[in-house]
Amino acid sequence: MKLKAIQNTFQTTLSGIYSKEEIDTIFFMLNEAYYGITRLQLALNTNLELENTDAILKALQALKAEKPIQYILGETEFFGLNFKVNQHVLIPRPETEELVAWVLKWYSKLNSASQSLKILDVGTGSGCIAITLAKKIPKASVFALDVSGNALTVAKQNAVLNNVDVTCVEASILKPDTANKLPDFDVIISNPPYVRMQEKELMKPNVLNNEPHLALFVENNNPLLFYNAICKFASNKLKENGALFFEINEYLGEEMKQLLHNYNFKNIELKQDIFKKERMIKGVY
Ligand SMILES: C[S@@+](CC[C@H](N)C(=O)[O-])C[C@H]1O[C@@H](n2cnc3c(N)ncnc32)[C@H](O)[C@@H]1O
């Protein structure tokens, strides 16, 4: 079958779900991943044919059912690095790359930048935050904590894939004895679950029906559950002048500032993402 014809089938099948450009991008990603055919090769030879179309047509059915392309391919890119993903981990988001960039900028200004740091990522999922920090700050010892053993299996694979050492810890940050299993840290960073149940209806079906709810949701009446627990943990486990970085719900910036203030953090800073939404906060202990 001619690839051009398959491309047209992609456009007609997926036009209610994705834009024309997104459909083409997905189509080219699949061709490259499954058949090693690049976008350029296809542009230069519009008569290219596939002998066996099973894989790409199966992917089309999954896309039609609104499965994210990252789960279909089983991988994605974060901060220029490759990460395996499956249904047990959240697909890493661009706003989380901004959070990591903020940590790296803060680190580059430290006087003690030559010293090794102990870093903890709470709710590591695919390990994207922990592994990127381990890669970019090779002297750091990085710990990655998650309550999900399945998520940690993915994080461990990703550490090997990216050739870094990360200590994975299976524990709940909501349990007080978790602190006893860990050393003191210079940096604690987290992108915890923060979507209120009431915000479910604003979410796209591809997220809602595919990504792990354990990674996403909190009860409406306790939206800062994880932030509260992590602030408490951090106030015990951060070294003097240690820093706490969070990705946050864009609607809860002021509440987050107050929370950090209540736990006696100083130099509290809310930060906007590239879309001018308050999506990150930092405090120093
Ligand atoms: C929003 S996801 C973030 C994943 C990843 N850090 C990222 O930024 O893409 C939140 C993560 O918190 C984990 N989590 C949920 N409840 C937890 C708990 N009680 N203790 C530790 N981790 C938890 C989930 O399994 C999930 O991996």
Side-chain angles (χ1 to χ4, degrees):
M1 191 172 179
K2 279 204 175 144
L3 266 172
K4 251 321 186 210
I6 302 176
Q7 189 173 6
N8 290 338
T9 310
F10 264 63
Q11 285 294 347
T12 46
T13 311
L14 301 176
S15 62
I17 306 174
Y18 296 105
S19 71
K20 184 176 182 310
E21 292 70 27
E22 283 171 330
I23 298 170
D24 277 343
T25 302
I26 290 170
F27 176 74
F28 294 130
M29 283 166 83
L30 287 166
N31 271 303
E32 185 145 10
Y34 291 163
Y35 309 111
I37 300 171
T38 64
R39 187 175 195 145
L40 180 64
Q41 284 171 313
L42 194 61
L44 294 175
N45 183 358
T46 51
N47 287 323
L48 271 177
E49 291 204 25
L50 286 183
E51 268 177 33
N52 188 339
T53 55
D54 290 356
I56 199 156
L57 294 181
K58 192 170 164 218
L60 178 59
Q61 287 318 307
L63 288 163
K64 197 177 159 192
E66 305 208 18
K67 188 167 184 173
I69 181 68
Q70 294 90 338
Y71 287 144
I72 295 172
L73 292 174
E75 62 183 21
T76 191
E77 206 186 285
F78 181 86
F79 226 95
L81 303 172
N82 280 332
F83 286 87
K84 299 276 177 213
V85 289
N86 65 22
Q87 75 276 18
H88 300 297
V89 301
L90 193 85
I91 297 168
R93 304 290 204 273
E95 49 271 28
T96 311
E97 290 182 313
E98 290 192 54
L99 178 69
V100 170
W102 197 22
V103 177
L104 292 174
K105 195 165 174 203
W106 167 85
Y107 172 73
S108 71
K109 290 186 184 149
L110 279 187
N111 289 333
S112 57
S114 59
Q115 292 166 17
S116 63
L117 295 186
K118 276 206 168 55
I119 300 175
L120 172 68
D121 171 26
V122 179
T124 200
S126 63
C128 59
I129 296 175
I131 289 165
T132 306
L133 290 174
K135 195 84 188 166
K136 302 289 168 188
I137 313 177
K139 282 185 178 164
S141 342
V142 182
F143 290 67
L145 180 144
D146 207 292
V147 73
S148 160
N150 286 328
L152 286 176
T153 301
V154 178
K156 282 177 195 162
Q157 282 174 0
N158 283 326
V160 173
L161 183 68
N162 287 290
N163 210 11
V164 291
D165 265 338
V166 168
T167 306
C168 289
V169 181
E170 186 175 338
S172 170
I173 198 64
L174 301 178
K175 296 223 169 114
D177 66 345
T178 292
N180 305 334
K181 300 177 186 165
L182 294 161
D184 288 349
F185 293 97
D186 301 276
V187 185
I188 296 175
I189 176 167
S190 184
N191 172 21
Y194 59 70
V195 182
R196 288 170 291 182
M197 292 294 186
Q198 70 195 44
E199 293 164 51
K200 248 185 180 177
E201 64 206 39
L202 305 174
M203 297 177 84
K204 292 188 178 162
N206 60 352
V207 175
L208 215 47
N209 299 336
N210 291 283
E211 301 209 60
H213 287 198
L214 177 68
L216 291 168
F217 293 111
V218 282
E219 296 298 331
N220 291 336
N221 62 3
N222 198 1
L224 302 186
L225 171 73
F226 286 96
Y227 296 98
N228 217 324
I230 297 166
C231 280
K232 194 167 176 192
F233 173 93
S235 60
N236 283 322
K237 301 298 281 184
L238 268 181
K239 296 180 192 168
E240 200 183 339
N241 288 321
L244 175 64
F245 287 86
F246 280 128
E247 181 170 323
I248 63 169
N249 185 317
E250 64 183 272
Y251 305 113
L252 297 174
E254 283 311 310
E255 287 86 342
M256 282 301 306
K257 249 171 125 171
Q258 189 57 48
L259 182 72
L260 265 66
H261 182 75
N262 294 347
Y263 276 96
N264 296 325
F265 281 87
K266 47 192 193 215
N267 304 343
I268 300 167
E269 229 181 297
L270 263 179
K271 192 170 161 63
Q272 295 181 337
D273 67 8
I274 50 163
F275 302 110
K276 303 259 174 269
K277 291 178 175 169
E278 282 172 344
R279 298 301 310 270
M280 292 159 266
I281 195 164
K282 164 184 153 266
V284 173
Y285 201 64

